[in-house]
Amino acid sequence: MDDCTVTTARRRSGTAVVREAELDRLVAAVTAPRATESGTRPVDALLTVVGGAGAGKTTLVEAVVARFTADGGRVLRADSSQSETHLAFSGLHQLLRPVRGRIDGLPPRQRGALHVAFGVAERSEAPGPMLIRTAVLTMLSDLAAERPLLVVVDDAQWADRASLDALSFAARRLADEPVTLLVATRDPTLSGLAKQEPTLTLEPLDRGAAERLLDFQPWVPAGPTRASILDQGEGNPLALVELARAADEHDYTSRTVHSPLPVTERLGRVYTDRLAALPAETRRAVVRLATVDNEDPPHTVLSWLPDIGDPVWAPAEEAGLVRRSGGRLRCAHPLSRLAIYHAAPAEERRAAHLGLAELFGDQDPDRHAWHLAAATSGLSAVVSARLEDSANRARHRSGYAAAAHMLERAADLHPDRGESTRLLAAATSAAVLTGRLDSVERLAARTRAGTDDPTAVALAALQVGRLMTLTSSHNAAFGQLLRTAAALADTDPAAVLEALAAAAVVRFYSGDAAQSNEIERLLPLASAPPGHRLGERETLLAGWAAVVTHPDAADACFTLQLPALVAVAREEPQTLILLAVAAWLLDETELAARTYDLAFASWVSQGPLPDGLGGVAALAYLEQGRWARAHTVCAELAAVASSVGLDHAVACAFATEALLCALRGDVAGARARAQHALSLVDPQESRSVLALAHRALGTAATVEGDHEAAHQHYRVLFDDRGNSTHYHLSYPALPELAAAAARVGRREEAIRIVDGVERSLADAGVLAPRRAALVHLSRAALVPAEQAEHHFTAALEAPALARRPFERAQALLAYGEWLRRRRRISDARPPLVAAEAVFRRLAAQPWVARARSELRAAGARSGSTEPDAFAGLTPQQQQIVRLAALGLTNREVAEKLYLSPRTVSSHLYRSFPKLGVTVRSQLRDVVDAMTADRDAGRDTDARGPGLIAAHAERRFPVRGADRGGPSCPEPKRRGHG
């Protein structure tokens, strides 16, 4: 090892010593054992180190890596660079390059997705980001199964967004595996990563630590010079080291040590001065090295640089601008690389970029285009076209952030103003799919400033409005979309419908009746010009916007056409999702859930952006009785939305999950999620979240027997005259409000509310059957006891209620309770048994307990001797068991649920003893026992639960309970007489 390398190593080790406490904390975190089933707190799979330039992040990371590898761990590392920030999946490619042979061991779909993402294969359609992320998750999990794995991303502020999103996704699912993601970044707000906990922030060194660091330097400053360095260094380790070096070279002392510049600028000047002092040939070589800006360049690029042993490097190495490491030369520090690049003469920089562009040529067209653009000082239609082609390739790989940036640069370079506007519009559309509102707003502002075409400006505003629908600023979003629709009315009817459809999404979330009036006023403006007809999509959007805006007034023809429209759109997932939303709002729950199944089965995601009313899928599955599927939809929506800061989408997911938790008896979880959801929105601008959250809180209070609190929460959903807070989400809570009011002596108040809801039935159109059933159930809780049976039977005979297993089971339970209290014991048993069977399948434990209590009082036993085994599993474990019972392998289950195979294996390992099984083949029997009344006909005692259950099944058939995981067929029901 030469003197310069020894000196560099000594300086770097000195930084690690003065950061000893931080180093010990990181080492402890990456080597800590993962959580166990005993309930210990999970160890975080993601650690973030935040600090400014020169704070010592890289030094700490290297020290952690050294200790981790010394203990036998495997390390994958990506050192991010500015030149690759806008190359989709470049960071992930660098990270996985040492283990690229393992990609071939992935399941076929995941293997193909990664190959397309890395540009080594082509596919007719872009792989969905979720599939790419699942492939990364599977690969990291497989590697960790062999030995502990540390994944390092240094200078993450420059990492490409697609790679960060994939790693963030994986980190959230690796908490119980020996994998740690260690991220070092300058940006404390790095979306999707640095916001996670825990974060280690590297503060400036205190005076004592700074003194110790100076003592480690080859030349130890003393006296006034030392004091000046300590003052000017401001606790920044790199500044202290480099200023001490500069002070040792008398040329720099007066110009640098006493400079009043900020630390990073002062350091930049140090490096700039050193660059200027180099021989011309050395300077050109160093500029080339800084322009490469890649920690792992291909052989062709290395051959373009002087050989590592070439004497040309010696002056730069002596000046501390480059260092030898791992058999090749690197810039000494990212800050020195930046300073060298920006201090170099413009012609030298352009020459370096042009040389790299020629080197990459056809073998890497994306890097070729990017370096060609960097070498272009004026306008060029040819270079603009190369960048547009590169953007299209990035979009094809689901690299939407990279595509947006390349299209924006292409717009800058194009000499034609119209083409430039077109490229900016394409960049804005791509940016929408990243979910980052600030980027979309900036691009729209550029469009406004760069064109006098009002249509182009309005279309850019439409993109901003579309994304704003997923934020909590609903009034602003609605205004933006309505102004856009009005501006486009005379020129682009199709765009008007896109704007009004997005405005309808806002109307659903906000629940504001005034917004409904505005949309209905503008819909006629979207009609086709005389002699023309709207296209199929425009016709669909017009009907869809009307349904979402005011489902009570929906065109009956549109409702009748829904099944046929779904059949036609089987291969168009985006259209299927629109139809599923409409079906759910029109109370066609089974059609809605079935349509969502079709959409998700054929979905090729158009980006990480949550789709319009994405949370409705969870509500449809919840109503259909597929609670495990609803839970998965909530979890994925929250994960995607939180990674891009779309608070309202996160709030919707949390509010729906809160309701699921409450229904299953997890009161603490329900309250935490509901309160978090409410904290993310303005309740006056988001009545949808308000209604869901208070329904969840009311249900949680009911579970605890606090009917006064339950009544208070349910009352938020209606005013004194029966007007709903939210035009669709309030009504399912009406029977619960009535029951709570009856228990706390508020019957008269509740009757006025129910009367008001009943009056609204005259205008309810196609929604009348379900709302009428809910009114009957509410009346049954409020009228004198002798009048209740009519309302119970009317509700239970309604097909609309029969399509919602839990709602119907609640009605059966209430009816059975009423019958038992009227001493009609034999009549009470069948509805109670039927209700208990549904509650047990759904793992709705509070209602299971209540139904069993009533059954015991009625002299009957539960329909299952071991009802709690399956219910004792977590929702995720239930999903995994269901899919494994269908014969899917761990890898197939993992791909469906976006988990790692190791996580699936771990959950099955924990579930087996709880279920009393020892081999995988026994899971089918467990699932069948939980999803069908297999006791029917077993008990020869006419008074036993078997015949009662069979009788209950005939009188009160159970429909639509959760029998399968996502996008999988339901097991056949067996054992019914």
Side-chain angles (χ1 to χ4, degrees), residues 694 698 707-717 737 740 746:
H694 279 282
H707 301 292
E708 182 65 47
H711 179 263
Q712 291 174 6
H713 287 297
Y714 293 137
R715 275 294 279 114
V716 173
L717 307 183
L737 168 62
R746 308 281 178 82

Side-chain angles (χ1 to χ4, degrees), residues 283-293 304-306 313 351-352 356:
R283 187 184 69 245
R284 283 193 293 272
V286 171
V287 171
R288 280 189 171 194
L289 181 64
T291 307
V292 169
D293 196 18
W304 178 68
L305 296 169
W313 296 112
L356 283 168

Side-chain angles (χ1 to χ4, degrees), residues 481-517:
L481 291 164
L482 266 287
R483 287 191 297 273
T484 299
L488 293 168
D490 296 331
T491 58
D492 196 338
V496 172
L497 284 169
E498 295 283 354
L500 293 179
V505 172
V506 179
R507 149 67 172 156
F508 176 84
Y509 286 142
S510 71
D512 189 339
Q515 293 179 354
S516 173
N517 298 334

Side-chain angles (χ1 to χ4, degrees), residues 706-728:
D706 188 348
H707 301 292
E708 182 65 47
H711 179 263
Q712 291 174 6
H713 287 297
Y714 293 137
R715 275 294 279 114
V716 173
L717 307 183
F718 299 92
D719 68 14
D720 292 337
R721 293 176 294 176
N723 298 315
S724 59
T725 299
H726 188 275
Y727 67 103
H728 191 79

Side-chain angles (χ1 to χ4, degrees), residues 28 230 283 291 305 323 331-332 401 473 488 501 512 585 677 738 782 787 814 850 960:
L230 289 169
R283 187 184 69 245
T291 307
L305 296 169
R323 63 185 176 90
C331 289
S473 302
L488 293 168
D512 189 339
L585 282 164
L782 298 170
Q787 300 174 19
R850 185 172 148 191

